Amino acid sequence: MYLIIPTKANMLLVILIHTTYQLTITAQHNLTPYGTATQSSTHEGSVPQYAIQPPISNTYSKTLCSVTGLGRKQAWWMFNFSFGSAYITNIKIYYRVDYAHRMDGFKLYVINTSTIPPVGYLCYEDPDPGLPKITQTIPCHQLGKYVIYYDIKKDENEGPVIELCYVAINGCRKGMWGKGCSTTCPSICIGQHCHPENGSCVWGCDEQKCLNNRWDIQTGVCTEGCVREHSQFCNCNKCTYI
Ligand SMILES: *[C@@H]1O[C@H](CO)[C@@H](O)[C@H](O)[C@H]1NC(C)=O
Ligand SMILES: *[C@@H]1O[C@H](CO)[C@@H](O)[C@H](O)[C@H]1NC(C)=O
Ligand SMILES: *[C@@H]1O[C@H](CO)[C@@H](O)[C@H](O)[C@H]1NC(C)=O
């Protein structure tokens, strides 16, 4: 028989887990109000914007879902952030109900250029065999300017077709983090780039921000501490007091 004895160490662990969990939840911020949606072609007036407008559901109608033209060789749906780059955490997709066979084989990219076929980070590719779930949350921790849903796998009769009923792109614009992305990333982060969930530097700390401009050339650690009280965000082993 084992007893869990509450010690200071595991109490702290519980608090830490709890805090991380809360930070992750509150950092969810849908970025689709800030930018434009486009797609390869449009079927009967079902414009790309319908995918970023409510309702949040798989329910299909011509005015609820975006639909690309039938009988094409490829199909894509693209979102372009108006503010430039975003650090994405995940992408939620609600595809047309009962049409998983059209979703089959889709690819999701986060990229910096709008070229087609997409060239850049492939967040997810629907695997074979089997049909995909029509509602998915796809994690993709990436900095990028565009999100592209891409499909070249043919539906039996119509060629590749995309029918997105709702899409949410969660994350923050580059340089912001926290609840509603309302906190500025610490200036000590290289490129002022930090994780949307917790504000820690993605590319590490800028040694130039060391107190008195002094750091260890070998390790990058600030030998006299950091400029101002930034160190709480630096988990990169640089810019810590030694
Ligand atoms: C994306 O949006 C930016 C800013 O609004 C604009 O300058 C750029 O031309 C757009 N790119 C495409 C491919 O539409
Ligand atoms: C976009 O460019 C930035 C640098 O400006 C780079 O860090 C990032 O990884 C690129 N994103 C992708 C998806 O290639
Ligand atoms: C912040 O979040 C990122 C992404 O989830 C994670 O990799 C990193 O370890 C976190 N940093 C801290 C200090 O918790």
Side-chain angles (χ1 to χ4, degrees):
M1 185 178 159
Y2 294 93
L3 281 178
I4 297 171
I5 299 169
T7 62
K8 269 188 186 163
N10 61 32
M11 285 297 282
L12 186 66
L13 193 66
V14 169
I15 292 164
L16 278 175
I17 290 167
H18 191 65
T19 310
T20 310
Y21 177 74
Q22 283 193 333
L23 281 174
T24 307
I25 298 298
T26 53
Q28 297 297 310
H29 184 58
N30 180 19
L31 298 172
T32 60
Y34 315 103
T36 49
T38 48
Q39 64 190 15
S40 48
S41 58
T42 296
H43 179 67
E44 296 186 358
S46 297
V47 294
Q49 289 76 16
Y50 290 159
I52 54 174
Q53 291 168 7
I56 302 171
S57 86
N58 309 86
T59 305
Y60 175 80
S61 96
K62 281 180 185 174
T63 55
L64 292 180
C65 306
S66 68
V67 185
T68 59
L70 310 182
R72 314 292 164 115
K73 286 204 172 66
Q74 61 174 6
W76 52 263
W77 182 93
M78 184 188 302
F79 189 82
N80 178 10
F81 301 105
S82 56
F83 47 67
S85 297
Y87 195 63
I88 292 155
T89 53
N90 66 60
I91 298 159
K92 276 182 198 269
I93 294 170
Y94 290 76
Y95 204 85
R96 178 179 181 174
V97 67
D98 295 334
Y99 276 73
H101 60 284
R102 282 190 175 164
M103 195 187 189
D104 196 30
F106 80 94
K107 294 179 184 177
L108 187 70
Y109 292 87
V110 169
I111 55 180
N112 284 327
T113 57
S114 58
T115 47
I116 299 291
V119 182
Y121 188 80
L122 178 64
C123 299
Y124 185 76
E125 177 172 5
D126 176 53
D128 269 334
L131 293 179
K133 291 201 173 86
I134 56 165
T135 306
Q136 296 202 19
T137 300
I138 297 169
C140 189
H141 291 251
Q142 275 298 311
L143 178 67
K145 293 181 175 160
Y146 303 91
V147 173
I148 298 183
Y149 181 109
Y150 187 65
D151 192 1
I152 50 167
K153 190 165 177 177
K154 288 191 181 81
D155 167 298
E156 259 174 39
N157 309 312
E158 313 289 3
V161 181
I162 298 176
E163 296 176 288
L164 293 169
C165 296
Y166 189 73
V167 174
I169 301 168
N170 293 311
C172 290
R173 63 182 291 175
K174 184 176 172 287
M176 303 299 288
W177 74 282
K179 192 177 180 186
C181 303
S182 55
T183 310
T184 308
C185 288
S187 59
I188 199 161
C189 294
I190 292 173
Q192 202 158 10
H193 181 33
C194 72
H195 288 288
E197 303 98 322
N198 55 30
S200 72
C201 304
V202 178
W203 293 331
C205 305
D206 183 350
E207 291 98 339
Q208 308 278 339
K209 301 286 163 62
C210 290
L211 199 63
N212 302 326
N213 229 1
R214 295 195 54 166
W215 67 92
D216 185 319
I217 292 167
Q218 303 285 313
T219 63
V221 172
C222 297
T223 46
E224 293 177 21
C226 307
V227 177
R228 291 191 279 140
E229 291 301 311
H230 286 305
S231 52
Q232 58 167 317
F233 294 114
C234 291
N235 66 335
C236 47
N237 293 325
K238 295 178 181 179
C239 196
T240 47
Y241 292 92
I242 54 167

